[in-house]
Amino acid sequence: HLRQHRRALAALVLRPALGEESRTVALTAKALLAGAFALAAGLYLGAYGYLAAVEANVWLHYGNKPAALAAADRALEKNPGNGYMYLFRGMLYFDAKQYAAAESDFAAYLRLGPDSAQAWHAVGQTYYESGQYPKAIAHYTQALAREPGNVHYLNSRGYTYILTGEYAAARADFIALLAIDARYAPGWGNLGLIDAFQGDYAKAVGHLEKAYL
């Protein structure tokens, strides 16, 4: 039953992709008949790149990350302009702790979509994990310039400020995020951490209690 369920789900996911492929193949044929060979080649690669991208998402859905990574490779080989696939593959690399490869893919995504706050934050995360905290902060700041109210980005930058000893900047980020979402527990916990580092243990306890309420 599980195998049948998986086949049925895959068919549902792939059906729009196959429809897209059929339309693209028809357009490719028209382009060939018209002698537009460059257009035909681009359409052909786009169709099969699209299918590989769908396949990558299906494999990830079933937890097969190596197969998802291989499909993402094929998708980008066929369509190197697919920014989403760079982000997708970068996340797989990041999850596998292959931070240099993740950074490269996130940077490629940024080149294709420089206004993406998610991409700026993702690159910041790779710098954070490799201990390059000033670069991480710079990228988190770029992410926040695009999404100023994102509490996750504020938390990422605030915590990295703690690691660089910039407690005033860290406190400002956590106060800002708590003004947006007072129930965001990591914000209270990190304020408590700053208080403890600065020797104000009574205030630290109060903030930590709010984190666990």
Side-chain angles (χ1 to χ4, degrees):
H1 292 298
L2 180 58
R3 188 174 298 171
Q4 289 175 344
H5 170 71
R6 289 183 175 181
R7 280 202 298 265
L9 181 58
L12 284 171
V13 173
L14 288 170
R15 188 174 298 150
L18 291 170
E20 179 69 21
E21 182 195 32
S22 298
R23 287 191 293 274
T24 308
V25 168
L27 288 171
T28 303
K30 289 181 180 179
L32 284 171
L33 289 170
F37 300 116
L39 175 59
L43 288 166
Y44 176 85
L45 291 176
Y48 289 96
Y50 180 84
L51 286 175
V54 173
E55 180 192 354
N57 280 278
V58 171
W59 281 123
L60 184 61
H61 176 79
Y62 289 120
N64 191 334
K65 292 180 181 179
L69 184 58
D73 288 341
R74 289 195 297 276
L76 285 167
E77 180 183 347
K78 300 297 184 184
N79 183 9
N82 186 340
Y84 167 74
M85 269 294 106
Y86 282 111
L87 182 63
F88 179 93
R89 189 174 68 177
M91 292 295 187
L92 289 173
Y93 280 136
F94 186 87
D95 189 58
K97 295 182 170 49
Q98 298 181 42
Y99 299 126
E103 179 188 340
S104 177
D105 273 359
F106 292 149
Y109 182 50
L110 268 181
R111 287 193 295 273
L112 292 166
D115 292 328
S116 168
Q118 184 183 14
W120 282 103
H121 184 260
V123 178
Q125 290 289 79
T126 64
Y127 284 130
Y128 171 86
E129 292 293 343
S130 60
Q132 300 180 71
Y133 300 135
K135 285 186 176 181
I137 288 169
H139 281 76
Y140 295 150
T141 300
Q142 289 289 340
L144 283 162
R146 290 156 177 81
E147 287 187 29
N150 191 307
V151 294
H152 303 298
Y153 299 169
L154 282 165
N155 190 63
S156 293
R157 189 175 68 176
Y159 190 77
T160 311
Y161 276 136
I162 291 177
L163 296 178
T164 59
E166 298 173 77
Y167 297 133
R171 188 182 296 277
D173 274 353
F174 297 130
I175 289 173
L177 77 83
L178 288 168
I180 297 166
D181 183 359
R183 296 175 298 176
Y184 192 82
W188 293 112
N190 287 324
L191 275 179
L193 191 61
I194 295 169
D195 295 330
F197 283 147
Q198 295 184 322
D200 193 339
Y201 299 112
K203 188 180 287 185
V205 169
H207 284 143
L208 289 169
E209 285 178 345
K210 288 185 177 180
Y212 293 102
L213 285 177

